[in-house]
């Protein structure tokens, strides 16, 4: 700012201008997400792991991350390294994260019945922060899982359906999987 004119004379024109500078704060908040089992079965418990990192250059304040569980999985429990997570809203209120620091959130969920063959995608996003983010491209991430399905069938036959007393017979049991996925833990 400067004084450019006045009706009166100025005995000290050296103090007629001044400037002030400011630095706009910014925090590059990056979020990443993984799932513990990308190919679970119905009824399995899976764990989503979310990591929020402040790549700076400044401290991030008022940070809120949103991770609402998608249709097909049901919330069981969570563990946050800092802040609070509310499963009903999906809001993880992280608070403050200094430059170079990370915070983690783990969410356990059960894969719902009736989801076989479905691909379920869960997305997490940074939804609020006081400071501007100079790299918004890393503010969200997703993890997908595909629920497995196996179509098992069993047949049983006997080699002699009319044996005499004392005869030896053989039963043949055949187990088949029409898929589409491999079957495990079959009893």
């Amino acid at each position: 700012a400067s004084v450019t004119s006045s009706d009166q004379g100025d005995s000290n024109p050296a103090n007629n201008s001044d400037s002030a500078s400011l630095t706009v704060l910014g925090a590059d908040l990056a979020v990443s997400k993984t799932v513990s089992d990308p190919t679970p079965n119905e009824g399995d418990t899976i764990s989503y792991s979310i990591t929020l990192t402040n790549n700076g250059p400044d401290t991030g304040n008022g940070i809120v991350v949103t991770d609402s569980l998608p249709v097909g999985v049901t919330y069981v429990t969570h563990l946050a390294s800092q802040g609070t997570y509310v499963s009903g809203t999906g809001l993880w209120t992280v608070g403050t994260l200094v430059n170079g620091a990370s915070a983690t959130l783990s969410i356990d969920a059960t894969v719902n019945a009736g989801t076989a063959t479905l691909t379920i995608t869960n997305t997490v996003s940074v939804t609020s922060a006081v400071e501007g983010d100079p790299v918004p491209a890393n503010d969200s991430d997703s993890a997908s899982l595909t629920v497995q399905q196996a179509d098992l069938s069993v047949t049983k036959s006997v080699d002699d359906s009319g044996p005499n007393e004392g005869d030896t017979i053989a039963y043949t049991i055949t187990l088949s999987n029409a898929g589409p996925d491999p079957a495990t833990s079959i009893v």
Side-chain angles (χ1 to χ4, degrees):
S2 42
V3 176
T4 56
S5 70
S6 170
D7 288 340
Q8 292 74 34
D10 190 344
S11 63
N12 187 5
N15 66 0
N16 287 356
S17 67
D18 196 7
S19 63
S21 59
L22 60 94
T23 302
V24 177
L25 299 178
D28 174 18
L29 301 174
V31 67
S32 64
K33 177 178 215 137
T34 60
V35 64
S36 61
D37 183 358
T39 56
N41 295 308
E42 291 179 356
D44 285 356
T45 298
I46 50 98
S47 182
Y48 292 108
S49 296
I50 300 103
T51 302
L52 175 69
T53 303
N54 181 353
N55 294 322
D58 299 303
T59 296
N61 294 287
I63 302 167
V64 178
V65 173
T66 301
D67 189 342
S68 299
L69 291 179
V71 172
V73 296
T74 300
Y75 172 84
V76 174
T77 189
H78 73 276
L79 179 62
S81 67
Q82 81 175 59
T84 57
Y85 176 74
V86 178
S87 63
T89 62
L91 296 180
W92 176 24
T93 305
V94 178
T96 299
L97 199 60
V98 298
N99 179 12
S102 294
T104 59
L105 172 65
S106 175
I107 304 171
D108 292 343
T110 302
V111 179
N112 296 348
T115 57
T117 71
L118 295 180
T119 297
I120 300 170
T121 301
N122 185 354
T123 301
V124 61
S125 300
V126 176
T127 50
S128 181
V130 172
E131 292 73 24
D133 191 331
V135 186
N138 60 10
D139 288 357
S140 66
D141 196 18
S142 297
S144 295
L145 58 88
T146 301
V147 184
Q148 301 298 287
Q149 179 183 30
D151 180 8
L152 300 178
S153 62
V154 64
T155 59
K156 184 176 183 179
S157 63
V158 63
D159 68 342
D160 185 357
S161 61
N164 294 314
E165 287 184 18
D167 286 355
T168 301
I169 59 169
Y171 289 105
T172 302
I173 301 168
T174 305
L175 175 66
S176 299
N177 179 5
D181 300 304
T184 58
S185 302
I186 301 168
V187 178

